[in-house]
């Protein structure tokens, strides 16, 4: 209970400073990020996955606001399992798709054709030939017994540097457990 009041106190102390921000998008983004943290978006099981994706996108948006122009292209690709490179699940596509949608709402140009699954596959057409991304939104996830650790990175394609990162844990709710299950693949090994 004391932690909850402490979060509210921090938010109240920071709001006057944020009011002095020149750009309204910066103010809104930072305020949304603080609100997500203070309301326990990443620790409450009753908050749905879409809300968690949007809150993660707000954290990333704060980091990229002076590094990524809104006319530059961000390509979202599926997250991979940390222990199994190259293997993903519906959760690995759902997270970057949700984050990409939120970044799109904030005015960034995000390509989502790589993370489109099921009924969403036709919603995001691939880019024209010759169009290359400036940044890649990628990462990994690690399912545990009680939660799933998510490690997000936005990489500058030209320099290979990380321009934004955000690591968080999702409680292993029924929804997250089902989405994080990968399909069994059989590999043939020859000598």
């Amino acid at each position: 209970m004391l932690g909850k009041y402490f979060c509210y106190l921090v938010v109240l102390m920071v709001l006057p400073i944020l009011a002095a921000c020149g750009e309204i998008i910066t103010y809104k983004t930072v305020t949304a990020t603080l609100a997500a943290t203070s309301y326990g978006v990443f620790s409450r099981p009753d908050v749905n996955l879409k809300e968690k994706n949007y809150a993660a996108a707000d954290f990333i948006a704060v980091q990229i606001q002076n590094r990524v122009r809104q006319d530059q292209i961000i390509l979202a690709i599926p997250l991979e399992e940390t222990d199994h490179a190259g293997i993903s699940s519906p959760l690995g596509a759902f997270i970057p798709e949700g984050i990409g949608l939120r970044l799109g709402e904030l005015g960034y140009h995000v390509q989502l054709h790589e993370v489109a699954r099921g009924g969403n596959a036709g919603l995001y057409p691939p880019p024209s030939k010759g169009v290359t991304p400036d940044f890649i939104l990628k990462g990994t996830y690690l399912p545990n017994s009680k939660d799933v650790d998510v490690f997000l990175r936005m990489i500058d394609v030209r320099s290979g540097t990380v321009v934004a990162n955000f690591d968080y844990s999702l409680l292993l709710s029924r929804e997250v457990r089902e989405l994080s299950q990968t399909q069994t693949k059989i590999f043939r090994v020859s000598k």
Side-chain angles (χ1 to χ4, degrees):
M1 191 68 152
L2 184 62
K4 186 176 182 179
Y5 289 118
F6 178 74
C7 287
Y8 290 132
L9 179 63
V10 169
V11 170
L12 288 174
M13 289 173 49
V14 174
L15 282 178
I17 297 168
L18 293 176
C21 293
E23 295 181 32
I24 192 69
I25 187 73
T26 303
Y27 175 75
K28 285 182 180 178
T29 304
V30 172
T31 304
T33 301
L34 287 171
T37 303
S38 68
Y39 289 124
V41 168
F42 295 105
S43 61
R44 285 185 17 219
D46 60 324
V47 177
N48 69 34
L49 191 54
K50 180 179 177 181
E51 290 176 278
K52 292 176 185 183
N53 288 340
Y54 273 43
D58 288 341
F59 275 94
I60 289 174
V62 169
Q63 294 178 46
I64 66 172
Q65 66 186 355
N66 294 323
R67 302 178 98 179
V68 178
R69 295 187 321 266
Q70 293 188 341
D71 64 326
Q72 292 179 304
I73 299 171
I74 301 169
L75 173 64
I77 63 173
L79 306 181
E80 297 178 351
E81 278 193 29
T82 302
D83 293 342
H84 305 99
I87 295 178
S88 190
S89 65
L91 180 71
F94 190 80
I95 290 173
E97 180 184 17
I99 292 170
L101 288 171
R102 175 64 176 154
L103 290 174
E105 288 177 0
L106 295 173
Y108 293 98
H109 183 123
V110 184
Q111 294 178 343
L112 298 170
H113 63 281
E114 294 279 331
V115 293
R117 299 287 186 260
N120 291 347
L123 296 177
Y124 318 117
S128 305
K129 291 189 182 219
V131 176
T132 58
D134 299 294
F135 299 91
I136 295 178
L137 175 64
K138 61 189 281 181
T140 60
Y141 65 96
L142 179 63
N144 299 307
S145 61
K146 295 183 180 180
D147 58 14
V148 175
D149 295 325
V150 179
F151 310 96
L152 298 172
R153 303 290 180 265
M154 188 174 296
I155 311 291
D156 184 328
V157 172
R158 287 178 189 82
S159 68
T161 59
V162 176
V163 297
N165 62 7
F166 184 58
D167 302 337
Y168 62 100
S169 293
L170 295 171
L171 290 177
L172 196 59
S173 65
R174 184 180 51 81
E175 176 188 24
V176 173
R177 181 181 293 110
E178 289 173 3
L179 287 172
S180 65
Q181 293 178 356
T182 57
Q183 291 181 337
T184 303
K185 292 186 179 184
I186 299 173
F187 295 96
R188 177 175 286 174
V189 179
S190 59
K191 293 182 181 182

